[in-house]
Amino acid sequence: MRATTIHAPFDMRVEDVPDAAVRDATDVVVRVLRACICGSDLWAYRGEAARTKGQRIGHEFLGIVEEAGADVRGFRQGDLVVAPFVWSDGTCDYCAEGLQTSCPDGGFWGSVGSDGGQGEAVRVPFADGTLVKLPADAASDDHLLTALLALSDVMGTGHHAALGAGVRKGSTVAVVGDGAVGLCGVLAARRLGAERIIALGRHTARTDIARAFGATDVVAERGEAAEAAVRELTGGHGAHAVIEAVGTEQSMRTAVAITRDGGSIGYVGVPHGSGTGLDLSAMFDRNIALRGGVAPVRAYIPELLPDILDGSIDPSPVFDLTVGLEGVPGGYRAMDERTALKVLVTP
């Protein structure tokens, strides 16, 4: 089969690799209908996250079950399914607590020895604990399929950030980051009843999506100027809830500075850079809470799925460029050069 591999910084290839196959009785093989490129994939692309030569890549996909192992109970050939960005056994204490990302038997797609989502098919370990079944008729609805793909990562991650930030009905929310996760954070905040949502971002095409998703205000400044702008919009107090969706030292400093005393920050930006940006003394003095991390999206899919199916939320606009599988290397270039927000892959 064909799949995307990474060989060195900026060297992405689509190559012939061994076919995905059932190895264990709890596996299924999923033929990929939709996949995408994540902003976090760019750290490997740029050489800022280590990868072995020829390693697979991609952790967001949905598709059709082609083959199921003998012990798989919840799925059969022909089922349409979405995969969260990690697999998990569904039986450990962490899975029972809704923290599937800490499952001792879990793992990330594209890790050494596993299939990546940016390919024609994927072997899925622990299928019963990992996959979520989708309505069969969604397979013939291109728009709906694209919206459902967001459940594999960005929509659930935005929701995780909103929960960590303590978004509630009537609250004022600020979102640091205008990438796909930040935009889904706007959508999640609106879904949870935020009254005011301030989106921080400099790219008009992205902030236009933020407004469509429910942002009431946009701040295009950065650093201290952005902090002052948010303070001005909030009567000098800051936001009750702040979503941090970038992961740099500067973005975290901004998040702390624009949080209202007694407020919370939900952080989901993958940390990268020289420091954390956290001033614990300031957070202590101002009673600012910090909660977040890698999102257990498997726990959130059952909650978010009905809202996508009935149209209450539609994250599909975050996908602004579509490529076939052979076009994936160009998709990485487009995202790296910021000419694309998030690239949809249709194998």
Side-chain angles (χ1 to χ4, degrees), residues 24-344:
D24 300 319
T26 54
D27 293 350
V28 303
V29 171
V30 172
R31 175 171 52 87
V32 177
L33 296 182
R34 293 286 187 281
C36 54
I37 301 173
C38 182
S40 64
D41 292 332
L42 295 181
W43 303 120
Y45 178 70
R46 295 166 179 160
E48 297 179 42
R51 294 291 187 273
T52 62
K53 184 176 181 180
Q55 188 173 338
R56 310 286 181 82
I57 197 166
H59 54 262
E60 301 159 280
F61 65 95
L62 59 75
I64 302 291
V65 174
E66 292 286 282
E67 183 182 0
D71 290 344
V72 175
R73 296 292 176 258
F75 304 97
R76 62 182 181 181
Q77 187 178 23
D79 284 343
L80 178 67
V81 295
V82 62
F85 62 81
V86 301
W87 69 79
S88 53
D89 62 22
T91 61
C92 72
D93 288 345
Y94 284 115
C95 288
E97 294 166 4
L99 195 64
Q100 290 88 343
T101 48
S102 291
C103 176
D105 291 320
F108 288 80
W109 312 113
S111 55
V112 174
S114 71
D115 294 322
Q118 294 162 21
E120 290 185 312
V122 176
R123 169 189 168 252
V124 177
F126 302 111
D128 285 326
T130 300
L131 299 174
V132 176
K133 190 180 297 186
L134 302 173
D137 56 3
S140 60
D141 186 331
D142 285 342
H143 182 89
L144 180 57
L145 272 184
T146 299
L148 291 169
L149 176 62
L151 290 172
S152 65
D153 186 348
V154 288
M155 189 63 232
T157 298
H159 180 67
H160 186 59
L163 293 179
V167 177
R168 61 190 184 278
K169 188 174 182 180
S171 59
T172 294
V173 181
V175 180
V176 181
D178 60 3
V181 169
L183 294 173
C184 286
V186 171
L187 196 56
R190 188 194 73 183
R191 178 180 177 274
L192 291 172
E195 181 176 324
R196 191 172 195 184
I197 304 172
I198 304 166
L200 281 70
R202 297 180 297 156
H203 304 87
T204 302
R206 299 182 180 200
T207 54
D208 285 348
I209 296 173
R211 290 188 185 278
F213 280 2
T216 55
D217 304 272
V218 169
V219 169
E221 291 85 1
R222 297 186 70 183
E224 293 182 358
E227 296 165 14
V230 174
R231 290 280 173 180
E232 183 176 357
L233 286 169
T234 57
H237 298 299
H240 300 104
V242 175
I243 290 172
E244 192 287 314
V246 182
T248 63
E249 183 171 357
Q250 179 60 64
S251 64
M252 187 61 82
R253 289 189 185 279
T254 298
V256 172
I258 63 176
T259 303
R260 181 187 180 99
D261 287 15
S264 301
I265 300 168
Y267 71 104
V268 292
V270 178
H272 53 277
S274 60
T276 65
L278 290 176
D279 183 341
L280 291 180
S281 295
M283 295 178 68
F284 181 86
D285 291 343
R286 297 172 52 214
N287 280 282
I288 292 174
L290 179 68
R291 186 172 179 84
V294 59
V297 299
R298 177 60 182 82
Y300 302 139
I301 293 174
E303 176 184 351
L304 298 172
L305 175 58
D307 284 3
I308 291 182
L309 292 176
D310 69 15
S312 299
I313 57 173
D314 178 11
S316 65
V318 302
F319 300 100
D320 61 344
L321 176 64
T322 301
V323 299
L325 186 56
E326 302 299 327
V328 167
Y332 274 87
R333 287 193 297 273
M335 286 183 62
D336 183 51
E337 295 167 0
R338 299 184 73 85
T339 58
L341 167 60
K342 189 168 180 66
V343 174
L344 178 71

